[in-house]
Amino acid sequence: MSNKNTAISTNWIVTVTLILSSLTIIAPMYLTVVTAFKEPSDMVNSVWTLPTTWHWENIPTAIRMTNFWRAFASSALIAIPTVILTILTNSIIGYVIARNLDRRLFKGAYLYIMSGMFVPFAVMMLPLVKYMSTLQLNNQFGLIIIYVVYNLPLNMLIYTGYVHSIPRDVEESASMDGAGPWRTYWQIIFPLMGPVNVTVGILTGLAAWNDFLLPLVILTDPKDATLPLVQYVFQSQFTTNYNLAFSSYLLAILPMIVVYLFFQKKIIGGVMAGSIKS
């Protein structure tokens, strides 16, 4: 009887926690959608009520004011190569270090890379901007390089955890069949990393797509402005047009929502697989 009461009490705690967690996601999404189709006078009454009239023209107005498609192309030109290069390079580094963690050199490299997680961005922002400008990499290509390197500590943690779940017998079998290290990696290990590659790709893509600070301090050509930067046009010194701004936010987050809905199962699978050891 005591165990049954404990189980019921635990279920209630879990249920309430899940409801509160869901509200933290549903409430901002609801606020974004209803605000995007209101007019400024509707905001005076209540931000939570539905629009008295749905102003669909807010969307084309926001597209025109932000030069949306140019900014969209710029964000895509940065985010897509960032995801591809991050998966290709970070997975190799994570695999090599995970398989050689018993060696002093690789363990030192692992700890050195992981220490990057504890360095605040504000500390390295000024030197980073200075060096990128000196190297004439204050452009989209330089931004891609920064994202690939900046995400390495977290991705290292994910990849090393996942590689430990892959039995070494797989590589030994490939070696007995005559496969070298590179062939073993590309043809056997890399395909096995599918779930964690998707996880890293989604997390990296979200970070690059939504980032405001790095494009602001690195990109010098206004034509290279990304979506988070052009949305700043709705804010002046004294006022902010929240309705058009939220229309623009809604357009900007839709691609990431679609990608997440397609790959959500693989994201969860990748995280869970990385937590299981053979």
Side-chain angles (χ1 to χ4, degrees), residues 7 34 78 104 116 149 156 205 212 223 230 260:
V34 298
I78 293 171
R104 186 176 299 178
V149 177
M156 177 71 62
F212 175 81
K223 294 179 180 177
V230 297
Y260 178 78

Side-chain angles (χ1 to χ4, degrees), residues 125-180:
M125 183 173 68
L126 187 59
L128 185 65
V129 173
K130 179 66 176 175
Y131 285 128
M132 296 305 284
S133 178
T134 303
L135 296 172
Q136 296 186 350
L137 288 174
N138 48 353
N139 49 37
Q140 293 172 320
F141 179 67
L143 194 57
I144 292 170
I145 294 175
I146 293 175
Y147 282 139
V148 172
V149 177
Y150 191 71
N151 291 320
L152 182 57
L154 176 60
N155 295 339
M156 177 71 62
L157 188 66
I158 297 174
Y159 275 120
T160 52
Y162 186 79
V163 170
H164 286 151
S165 70
I166 301 175
R168 288 180 180 268
D169 297 345
V170 175
E171 292 149 273
E172 292 173 0
S173 299
S175 178
M176 292 176 65
D177 290 338

